[in-house]
Amino acid sequence: MTGLSWAFAAAFALTALVDWWATHLGRTPVRWVSKPAALAALVGVAATAHPEIGMGARAWLVAGLVLSLAGDVFLLLPERWFVAGLGSFLLGHIAYVVALQAEHASWGWLLVGLAVVVVAVAVVGRRIVVGVRAGDHPELFGPVIAYLVVISAMVVSAFGTAA
């Protein structure tokens, strides 16, 4: 990492701690600053880190973080913005998958990741899906499936980097 990316990492650590404190104490006005500031600092880390991450992967990583920042802001807003927040996070996770695939290094590790995901979906994912379908909001069944697929792809892709 560069000196600037270390400074952004330190800013992230500080703002994340402030956000956790504000969340614990219910200090909503502080969260309006600390929550987006933490993600903005992570964007800074990703944008200024050493070039061992390829430029294509870096661009997708930064895009994913910016979309996650938008998701955080949407979730701070009134409930009518909830779907926009979820959509931002979903698009962010897709950007992470593209970034991780750009750094693909190992078919073997990709298969290990696939095995981990299959077990996790069988043990946990199935319960989540059944719970959503039988719960108070069955209309979330489709979005939950979409999230499971995208997050599963992200896990498999992360294993495939062999990092």
Side-chain angles (χ1 to χ4, degrees):
M1 289 196 352
T2 66
L4 185 55
S5 58
W6 278 111
F8 279 122
F12 165 73
L14 178 64
T15 54
L17 287 172
V18 169
D19 186 59
W20 293 337
W21 168 83
T23 299
H24 177 70
L25 296 179
R27 305 275 175 102
T28 303
V30 175
R31 291 206 72 222
W32 271 92
V33 175
S34 61
K35 185 80 168 161
L39 250 299
L42 281 180
V43 170
V45 171
T48 62
H50 272 288
E52 50 279 339
I53 299 173
M55 287 308 290
R58 181 191 311 262
W60 283 104
L61 179 61
V62 169
L65 288 167
V66 169
L67 287 161
S68 295
L69 171 59
D72 275 346
V73 170
F74 282 128
L75 293 184
L76 288 169
L77 296 171
E79 192 173 321
R80 70 177 182 268
W81 294 99
F82 181 76
V83 172
L86 289 182
S88 294
F89 283 120
L90 183 64
L91 292 173
H93 286 101
I94 291 169
Y96 298 143
V97 169
V98 174
L100 290 164
Q101 285 297 316
E103 293 293 307
H104 175 76
S106 169
W107 287 104
W109 277 108
L110 198 76
L111 291 173
V112 170
L114 184 59
V116 167
V117 164
V118 166
V119 169
V121 168
V123 173
V124 179
R126 187 174 46 83
R127 289 182 185 174
I128 292 170
V129 170
V130 168
V132 168
R133 180 172 265 170
D136 294 336
H137 297 285
E139 71 277 5
L140 293 178
F141 179 77
V144 167
I145 294 294
Y147 255 91
L148 281 173
V149 168
V150 171
I151 289 179
S152 295
M154 193 170 66
V155 170
V156 171
S157 298
F159 269 91
T161 66

